[in-house]
PDB file of all heavy atoms in Angstrom:
ATOM      1  N   ILE A  66     107.823  45.181  81.237  1.00  0.00           N
ATOM      2  CA  ILE A  66     106.730  44.212  81.461  1.00  0.00           C
ATOM      3  C   ILE A  66     105.535  44.500  80.547  1.00  0.00           C
ATOM      4  O   ILE A  66     104.465  43.944  80.723  1.00  0.00           O
ATOM      5  CB  ILE A  66     106.261  44.204  82.942  1.00  0.00           C
ATOM      6  CG1 ILE A  66     105.911  45.634  83.433  1.00  0.00           C
ATOM      7  CG2 ILE A  66     107.309  43.585  83.848  1.00  0.00           C
ATOM      8  CD1 ILE A  66     105.235  45.661  84.806  1.00  0.00           C
ATOM      9  N   ARG A  67     105.738  45.368  79.572  1.00  0.00           N
ATOM     10  CA  ARG A  67     104.639  45.795  78.716  1.00  0.00           C
ATOM     11  C   ARG A  67     103.913  44.608  78.055  1.00  0.00           C
ATOM     12  O   ARG A  67     102.693  44.581  77.917  1.00  0.00           O
ATOM     13  CB  ARG A  67     105.190  46.752  77.635  1.00  0.00           C
ATOM     14  CG  ARG A  67     104.134  47.388  76.759  1.00  0.00           C
ATOM     15  CD  ARG A  67     103.920  46.621  75.462  1.00  0.00           C
ATOM     16  NE  ARG A  67     102.766  47.099  74.726  1.00  0.00           N
ATOM     17  CZ  ARG A  67     101.547  46.589  74.883  1.00  0.00           C
ATOM     18  NH1 ARG A  67     101.294  45.622  75.741  1.00  0.00           N
ATOM     19  NH2 ARG A  67     100.530  47.046  74.150  1.00  0.00           N
ATOM     20  N   ASP A  68     104.702  43.579  77.647  1.00  0.00           N
ATOM     21  CA  ASP A  68     104.109  42.451  76.910  1.00  0.00           C
ATOM     22  C   ASP A  68     103.208  41.575  77.780  1.00  0.00           C
ATOM     23  O   ASP A  68     102.510  40.704  77.270  1.00  0.00           O
ATOM     24  CB  ASP A  68     105.220  41.595  76.276  1.00  0.00           C
ATOM     25  CG  ASP A  68     106.141  40.980  77.327  1.00  0.00           C
ATOM     26  OD1 ASP A  68     106.416  41.651  78.335  1.00  0.00           O
ATOM     27  OD2 ASP A  68     106.568  39.830  77.145  1.00  0.00           O
ATOM     28  N   LYS A  69     103.187  41.813  79.081  1.00  0.00           N
ATOM     29  CA  LYS A  69     102.321  41.027  79.977  1.00  0.00           C
ATOM     30  C   LYS A  69     100.914  41.632  80.061  1.00  0.00           C
ATOM     31  O   LYS A  69     100.050  41.085  80.729  1.00  0.00           O
ATOM     32  CB  LYS A  69     102.899  41.001  81.411  1.00  0.00           C
ATOM     33  CG  LYS A  69     104.346  40.599  81.488  1.00  0.00           C
ATOM     34  CD  LYS A  69     104.501  39.117  81.240  1.00  0.00           C
ATOM     35  CE  LYS A  69     105.932  38.692  81.479  1.00  0.00           C
ATOM     36  NZ  LYS A  69     106.423  37.787  80.438  1.00  0.00           N
ATOM     37  N   PHE A  70     100.718  42.780  79.431  1.00  0.00           N
ATOM     38  CA  PHE A  70      99.453  43.501  79.588  1.00  0.00           C
ATOM     39  C   PHE A  70      98.746  43.769  78.262  1.00  0.00           C
ATOM     40  O   PHE A  70      99.394  43.908  77.221  1.00  0.00           O
ATOM     41  CB  PHE A  70      99.711  44.854  80.274  1.00  0.00           C
ATOM     42  CG  PHE A  70     100.097  44.722  81.718  1.00  0.00           C
ATOM     43  CD1 PHE A  70     101.426  44.622  82.093  1.00  0.00           C
ATOM     44  CD2 PHE A  70      99.124  44.676  82.709  1.00  0.00           C
ATOM     45  CE1 PHE A  70     101.788  44.487  83.430  1.00  0.00           C
ATOM     46  CE2 PHE A  70      99.475  44.540  84.046  1.00  0.00           C
ATOM     47  CZ  PHE A  70     100.810  44.445  84.412  1.00  0.00           C
ATOM     48  N   VAL A  71      97.441  43.862  78.373  1.00  0.00           N
ATOM     49  CA  VAL A  71      96.619  44.375  77.275  1.00  0.00           C
ATOM     50  C   VAL A  71      96.417  45.850  77.592  1.00  0.00           C
ATOM     51  O   VAL A  71      95.838  46.191  78.630  1.00  0.00           O
ATOM     52  CB  VAL A  71      95.260  43.644  77.226  1.00  0.00           C
ATOM     53  CG1 VAL A  71      94.304  44.327  76.268  1.00  0.00           C
ATOM     54  CG2 VAL A  71      95.466  42.174  76.856  1.00  0.00           C
ATOM     55  N   ILE A  72      96.905  46.720  76.714  1.00  0.00           N
ATOM     56  CA  ILE A  72      96.769  48.162  76.962  1.00  0.00           C
ATOM     57  C   ILE A  72      95.684  48.728  76.050  1.00  0.00           C
ATOM     58  O   ILE A  72      95.745  48.566  74.823  1.00  0.00           O
ATOM     59  CB  ILE A  72      98.082  48.916  76.706  1.00  0.00           C
ATOM     60  CG1 ILE A  72      99.205  48.380  77.603  1.00  0.00           C
ATOM     61  CG2 ILE A  72      97.899  50.416  76.940  1.00  0.00           C
ATOM     62  CD1 ILE A  72     100.541  49.089  77.392  1.00  0.00           C
ATOM     63  N   ALA A  73      94.723  49.382  76.681  1.00  0.00           N
ATOM     64  CA  ALA A  73      93.666  50.062  75.921  1.00  0.00           C
ATOM     65  C   ALA A  73      93.769  51.556  76.207  1.00  0.00           C
ATOM     66  O   ALA A  73      93.864  51.964  77.365  1.00  0.00           O
ATOM     67  CB  ALA A  73      92.305  49.544  76.364  1.00  0.00           C
ATOM     68  N   THR A  74      93.777  52.352  75.158  1.00  0.00           N
ATOM     69  CA  THR A  74      93.729  53.791  75.379  1.00  0.00           C
ATOM     70  C   THR A  74      92.697  54.387  74.424  1.00  0.00           C
ATOM     71  O   THR A  74      91.998  53.647  73.708  1.00  0.00           O
ATOM     72  CB  THR A  74      95.131  54.430  75.237  1.00  0.00           C
ATOM     73  OG1 THR A  74      95.053  55.793  75.687  1.00  0.00           O
ATOM     74  CG2 THR A  74      95.669  54.394  73.826  1.00  0.00           C
ATOM     75  N   LYS A  75      92.559  55.701  74.434  1.00  0.00           N
ATOM     76  CA  LYS A  75      91.522  56.331  73.620  1.00  0.00           C
ATOM     77  C   LYS A  75      91.934  57.727  73.200  1.00  0.00           C
ATOM     78  O   LYS A  75      92.712  58.379  73.908  1.00  0.00           O
ATOM     79  CB  LYS A  75      90.167  56.410  74.341  1.00  0.00           C
ATOM     80  CG  LYS A  75      90.210  56.248  75.831  1.00  0.00           C
ATOM     81  CD  LYS A  75      88.828  56.166  76.441  1.00  0.00           C
ATOM     82  CE  LYS A  75      88.746  55.168  77.573  1.00  0.00           C
ATOM     83  NZ  LYS A  75      89.620  55.412  78.716  1.00  0.00           N
ATOM     84  N   GLY A  76      91.377  58.157  72.073  1.00  0.00           N
ATOM     85  CA  GLY A  76      91.645  59.501  71.594  1.00  0.00           C
ATOM     86  C   GLY A  76      90.356  60.167  71.142  1.00  0.00           C
ATOM     87  O   GLY A  76      89.380  59.491  70.813  1.00  0.00           O
ATOM     88  N   ARG A  77      90.385  61.495  71.136  1.00  0.00           N
ATOM     89  CA  ARG A  77      89.180  62.242  70.758  1.00  0.00           C
ATOM     90  C   ARG A  77      89.247  62.808  69.343  1.00  0.00           C
ATOM     91  O   ARG A  77      88.374  63.562  68.933  1.00  0.00           O
ATOM     92  CB  ARG A  77      88.951  63.395  71.735  1.00  0.00           C
ATOM     93  CG  ARG A  77      88.542  62.948  73.111  1.00  0.00           C
ATOM     94  CD  ARG A  77      88.110  64.151  73.941  1.00  0.00           C
ATOM     95  NE  ARG A  77      87.796  63.751  75.290  1.00  0.00           N
ATOM     96  CZ  ARG A  77      86.615  63.268  75.668  1.00  0.00           C
ATOM     97  NH1 ARG A  77      85.649  63.117  74.782  1.00  0.00           N
ATOM     98  NH2 ARG A  77      86.401  62.933  76.918  1.00  0.00           N
ATOM     99  N   GLY A  78      90.326  62.499  68.615  1.00  0.00           N
ATOM    100  CA  GLY A  78      90.449  63.019  67.253  1.00  0.00           C
ATOM    101  C   GLY A  78      89.257  62.609  66.397  1.00  0.00           C
ATOM    102  O   GLY A  78      88.832  61.454  66.452  1.00  0.00           O
ATOM    103  N   LEU A  79      88.746  63.549  65.624  1.00  0.00           N
ATOM    104  CA  LEU A  79      87.606  63.235  64.751  1.00  0.00           C
ATOM    105  C   LEU A  79      88.037  63.097  63.298  1.00  0.00           C
ATOM    106  O   LEU A  79      87.397  62.397  62.513  1.00  0.00           O
ATOM    107  CB  LEU A  79      86.526  64.324  64.872  1.00  0.00           C
ATOM    108  CG  LEU A  79      85.942  64.546  66.266  1.00  0.00           C
ATOM    109  CD1 LEU A  79      84.888  65.652  66.237  1.00  0.00           C
ATOM    110  CD2 LEU A  79      85.323  63.259  66.810  1.00  0.00           C
ATOM    111  N   THR A  80      89.123  63.790  62.923  1.00  0.00           N
ATOM    112  CA  THR A  80      89.612  63.701  61.548  1.00  0.00           C
ATOM    113  C   THR A  80      90.745  62.680  61.484  1.00  0.00           C
ATOM    114  O   THR A  80      91.340  62.323  62.507  1.00  0.00           O
ATOM    115  CB  THR A  80      90.155  65.062  61.070  1.00  0.00           C
ATOM    116  OG1 THR A  80      91.305  65.374  61.883  1.00  0.00           O
ATOM    117  CG2 THR A  80      89.112  66.166  61.205  1.00  0.00           C
ATOM    118  N   LYS A  81      91.031  62.264  60.249  1.00  0.00           N
ATOM    119  CA  LYS A  81      92.113  61.283  60.075  1.00  0.00           C
ATOM    120  C   LYS A  81      93.435  61.826  60.634  1.00  0.00           C
ATOM    121  O   LYS A  81      94.147  61.130  61.359  1.00  0.00           O
ATOM    122  CB  LYS A  81      92.252  60.975  58.576  1.00  0.00           C
ATOM    123  CG  LYS A  81      93.288  59.934  58.281  1.00  0.00           C
ATOM    124  CD  LYS A  81      93.334  59.645  56.786  1.00  0.00           C
ATOM    125  CE  LYS A  81      94.427  58.613  56.498  1.00  0.00           C
ATOM    126  NZ  LYS A  81      94.550  58.331  55.076  1.00  0.00           N
ATOM    127  N   ASP A  82      93.736  63.076  60.316  1.00  0.00           N
ATOM    128  CA  ASP A  82      95.003  63.664  60.772  1.00  0.00           C
ATOM    129  C   ASP A  82      95.073  63.734  62.291  1.00  0.00           C
ATOM    130  O   ASP A  82      96.089  63.392  62.894  1.00  0.00           O
ATOM    131  CB  ASP A  82      95.168  65.096  60.222  1.00  0.00           C
ATOM    132  CG  ASP A  82      95.594  65.066  58.770  1.00  0.00           C
ATOM    133  OD1 ASP A  82      95.837  63.950  58.261  1.00  0.00           O
ATOM    134  OD2 ASP A  82      95.642  66.147  58.154  1.00  0.00           O
ATOM    135  N   ASP A  83      93.980  64.204  62.903  1.00  0.00           N
ATOM    136  CA  ASP A  83      93.996  64.355  64.364  1.00  0.00           C
ATOM    137  C   ASP A  83      94.120  63.003  65.061  1.00  0.00           C
ATOM    138  O   ASP A  83      94.827  62.874  66.061  1.00  0.00           O
ATOM    139  CB  ASP A  83      92.739  65.089  64.855  1.00  0.00           C
ATOM    140  CG  ASP A  83      92.812  66.582  64.534  1.00  0.00           C
ATOM    141  OD1 ASP A  83      93.915  67.049  64.175  1.00  0.00           O
ATOM    142  OD2 ASP A  83      91.778  67.259  64.632  1.00  0.00           O
ATOM    143  N   MET A  84      93.420  62.010  64.541  1.00  0.00           N
ATOM    144  CA  MET A  84      93.504  60.700  65.199  1.00  0.00           C
ATOM    145  C   MET A  84      94.877  60.067  64.973  1.00  0.00           C
ATOM    146  O   MET A  84      95.414  59.404  65.875  1.00  0.00           O
ATOM    147  CB  MET A  84      92.383  59.783  64.699  1.00  0.00           C
ATOM    148  CG  MET A  84      92.266  58.489  65.471  1.00  0.00           C
ATOM    149  SD  MET A  84      92.199  58.704  67.287  1.00  0.00           S
ATOM    150  CE  MET A  84      90.499  58.312  67.648  1.00  0.00           C
ATOM    151  N   ALA A  85      95.463  60.284  63.801  1.00  0.00           N
ATOM    152  CA  ALA A  85      96.824  59.758  63.568  1.00  0.00           C
ATOM    153  C   ALA A  85      97.793  60.385  64.567  1.00  0.00           C
ATOM    154  O   ALA A  85      98.678  59.701  65.109  1.00  0.00           O
ATOM    155  CB  ALA A  85      97.254  60.046  62.130  1.00  0.00           C
ATOM    156  N   LYS A  86      97.593  61.675  64.853  1.00  0.00           N
ATOM    157  CA  LYS A  86      98.450  62.340  65.859  1.00  0.00           C
ATOM    158  C   LYS A  86      98.206  61.748  67.249  1.00  0.00           C
ATOM    159  O   LYS A  86      99.142  61.551  68.023  1.00  0.00           O
ATOM    160  CB  LYS A  86      98.157  63.847  65.892  1.00  0.00           C
ATOM    161  CG  LYS A  86      98.796  64.603  64.738  1.00  0.00           C
ATOM    162  CD  LYS A  86      98.495  66.090  64.871  1.00  0.00           C
ATOM    163  CE  LYS A  86      98.672  66.750  63.508  1.00  0.00           C
ATOM    164  NZ  LYS A  86      97.828  67.920  63.290  1.00  0.00           N
ATOM    165  N   ASP A  87      96.944  61.489  67.566  1.00  0.00           N
ATOM    166  CA  ASP A  87      96.620  60.876  68.872  1.00  0.00           C
ATOM    167  C   ASP A  87      97.340  59.538  69.024  1.00  0.00           C
ATOM    168  O   ASP A  87      97.944  59.262  70.062  1.00  0.00           O
ATOM    169  CB  ASP A  87      95.103  60.622  68.986  1.00  0.00           C
ATOM    170  CG  ASP A  87      94.336  61.851  69.445  1.00  0.00           C
ATOM    171  OD1 ASP A  87      94.956  62.757  70.029  1.00  0.00           O
ATOM    172  OD2 ASP A  87      93.109  61.903  69.210  1.00  0.00           O
ATOM    173  N   VAL A  88      97.265  58.705  67.995  1.00  0.00           N
ATOM    174  CA  VAL A  88      97.884  57.366  68.076  1.00  0.00           C
ATOM    175  C   VAL A  88      99.399  57.508  68.249  1.00  0.00           C
ATOM    176  O   VAL A  88      99.998  56.848  69.110  1.00  0.00           O
ATOM    177  CB  VAL A  88      97.544  56.525  66.825  1.00  0.00           C
ATOM    178  CG1 VAL A  88      98.345  55.217  66.824  1.00  0.00           C
ATOM    179  CG2 VAL A  88      96.054  56.225  66.765  1.00  0.00           C
ATOM    180  N   ALA A  89     100.001  58.401  67.462  1.00  0.00           N
ATOM    181  CA  ALA A  89     101.459  58.580  67.545  1.00  0.00           C
ATOM    182  C   ALA A  89     101.862  59.038  68.946  1.00  0.00           C
ATOM    183  O   ALA A  89     102.838  58.549  69.525  1.00  0.00           O
ATOM    184  CB  ALA A  89     101.920  59.592  66.494  1.00  0.00           C
ATOM    185  N   GLN A  90     101.078  59.954  69.513  1.00  0.00           N
ATOM    186  CA  GLN A  90     101.400  60.445  70.863  1.00  0.00           C
ATOM    187  C   GLN A  90     101.212  59.350  71.910  1.00  0.00           C
ATOM    188  O   GLN A  90     102.019  59.202  72.818  1.00  0.00           O
ATOM    189  CB  GLN A  90     100.515  61.668  71.187  1.00  0.00           C
ATOM    190  CG  GLN A  90     100.905  62.393  72.464  1.00  0.00           C
ATOM    191  CD  GLN A  90     102.329  62.965  72.412  1.00  0.00           C
ATOM    192  OE1 GLN A  90     102.705  63.612  71.450  1.00  0.00           O
ATOM    193  NE2 GLN A  90     103.130  62.687  73.436  1.00  0.00           N
ATOM    194  N   SER A  91     100.150  58.567  71.771  1.00  0.00           N
ATOM    195  CA  SER A  91      99.920  57.463  72.723  1.00  0.00           C
ATOM    196  C   SER A  91     101.072  56.476  72.671  1.00  0.00           C
ATOM    197  O   SER A  91     101.534  55.992  73.717  1.00  0.00           O
ATOM    198  CB  SER A  91      98.609  56.726  72.396  1.00  0.00           C
ATOM    199  OG  SER A  91      97.500  57.555  72.616  1.00  0.00           O
ATOM    200  N   LEU A  92     101.542  56.153  71.474  1.00  0.00           N
ATOM    201  CA  LEU A  92     102.668  55.209  71.342  1.00  0.00           C
ATOM    202  C   LEU A  92     103.910  55.753  72.047  1.00  0.00           C
ATOM    203  O   LEU A  92     104.603  55.030  72.765  1.00  0.00           O
ATOM    204  CB  LEU A  92     102.981  54.951  69.864  1.00  0.00           C
ATOM    205  CG  LEU A  92     101.937  54.111  69.096  1.00  0.00           C
ATOM    206  CD1 LEU A  92     102.156  54.227  67.594  1.00  0.00           C
ATOM    207  CD2 LEU A  92     101.999  52.639  69.518  1.00  0.00           C
ATOM    208  N   ARG A  93     104.143  57.049  71.863  1.00  0.00           N
ATOM    209  CA  ARG A  93     105.309  57.668  72.523  1.00  0.00           C
ATOM    210  C   ARG A  93     105.128  57.643  74.039  1.00  0.00           C
ATOM    211  O   ARG A  93     106.018  57.244  74.774  1.00  0.00           O
ATOM    212  CB  ARG A  93     105.482  59.121  72.054  1.00  0.00           C
ATOM    213  CG  ARG A  93     106.306  59.269  70.778  1.00  0.00           C
ATOM    214  CD  ARG A  93     106.742  60.701  70.570  1.00  0.00           C
ATOM    215  NE  ARG A  93     105.615  61.610  70.383  1.00  0.00           N
ATOM    216  CZ  ARG A  93     104.984  61.815  69.217  1.00  0.00           C
ATOM    217  NH1 ARG A  93     105.389  61.190  68.135  1.00  0.00           N
ATOM    218  NH2 ARG A  93     103.977  62.654  69.135  1.00  0.00           N
TER     219      ARG A  93
END
Side-chain angles (χ1 to χ4, degrees):
I66 53 171
R67 186 265 171 269
D68 62 323
K69 309 287 187 224
F70 290 91
V71 170
I72 301 180
T74 190
K75 18 187 142 60
R77 291 190 184 276
L79 301 180
T80 65
K81 183 178 178 182
D82 282 355
D83 286 347
M84 189 50 108
K86 282 182 201 151
D87 276 340
V88 172
Q90 189 62 48
S91 293
L92 289 165
R93 273 195 297 277

